[in-house]
Amino acid sequence: MLYALAVLFAFQLLGEFLARVTGLPLPGALIGTLLLLLGLLFYKRLPKTLEDTAQVLLQNMMLLFIPVIAGVMLEFDHLRREWLPFVLACIAGAAITFTATALTFRFCLQRQRTRKPDDESAPEQEANV
């Protein structure tokens, strides 16, 4: 688990470094995540230790939101003054997320329906033999 956490932190650190050096208008954590994705695509498999660590992090994700919630509470006076843009951004973000998820799901369903069932013909051939 320590190895996987070190890998995750190393990619985040690399992303932060690249964000500051290049001046890209993206968060360093996002750049690090994209670099991790590219590394995993190049490696062509997910190491077991990384998978296990990611599973533990996903199971305890609510703990990772505590600093964000505390930060929002510290800026509560600012949010009280600027509540309308905050609410509109939350609603628009949720709508965009729901729409993107629905379109992706629809695309995957259509792709699955148009795919020829090659795997289903194999058991029939085995049964005839």
Side-chain angles (χ1 to χ4, degrees):
M1 182 180 230
L2 189 60
Y3 164 77
L5 285 174
V7 168
L8 292 173
F9 283 129
F11 273 100
Q12 182 174 358
L13 182 64
L14 181 61
E16 293 289 342
F17 174 76
L18 288 174
R20 291 180 191 251
V21 168
T22 62
L24 288 171
L26 296 172
L30 177 63
I31 295 171
T33 303
L34 293 174
L35 290 172
L36 176 63
L37 175 65
L38 290 174
L40 290 173
L41 288 173
F42 179 76
Y43 193 59
K44 295 186 181 174
R45 71 177 187 88
L46 179 63
K48 182 70 174 150
T49 55
L50 192 58
E51 181 181 358
D52 294 342
T53 302
Q55 189 65 34
V56 170
L57 289 173
L58 286 173
Q59 288 173 348
N60 298 298
M61 189 174 277
M62 286 307 296
L63 293 174
L64 301 175
F65 286 112
I66 292 173
V68 174
I69 294 168
V72 168
M73 295 308 293
L74 289 174
E75 298 295 328
F76 196 69
D77 289 334
H78 183 70
L79 286 175
R80 188 179 315 141
R81 290 189 306 267
E82 306 274 340
W83 67 271
L84 185 60
F86 179 74
V87 170
L88 291 176
C90 289
I91 292 171
I96 291 168
T97 302
F98 290 150
T99 303
T101 303
L103 292 174
T104 302
F105 185 68
R106 185 171 143 194
F107 171 76
C108 290
L109 282 177
Q110 287 175 347
R111 186 170 177 211
Q112 185 178 18
R113 287 182 189 145
T114 59
R115 185 181 297 167
K116 300 214 188 247
D118 293 335
D119 296 334
E120 293 177 10
S121 63
E124 291 173 7
Q125 291 173 354
E126 291 174 9
N128 293 335
V129 175

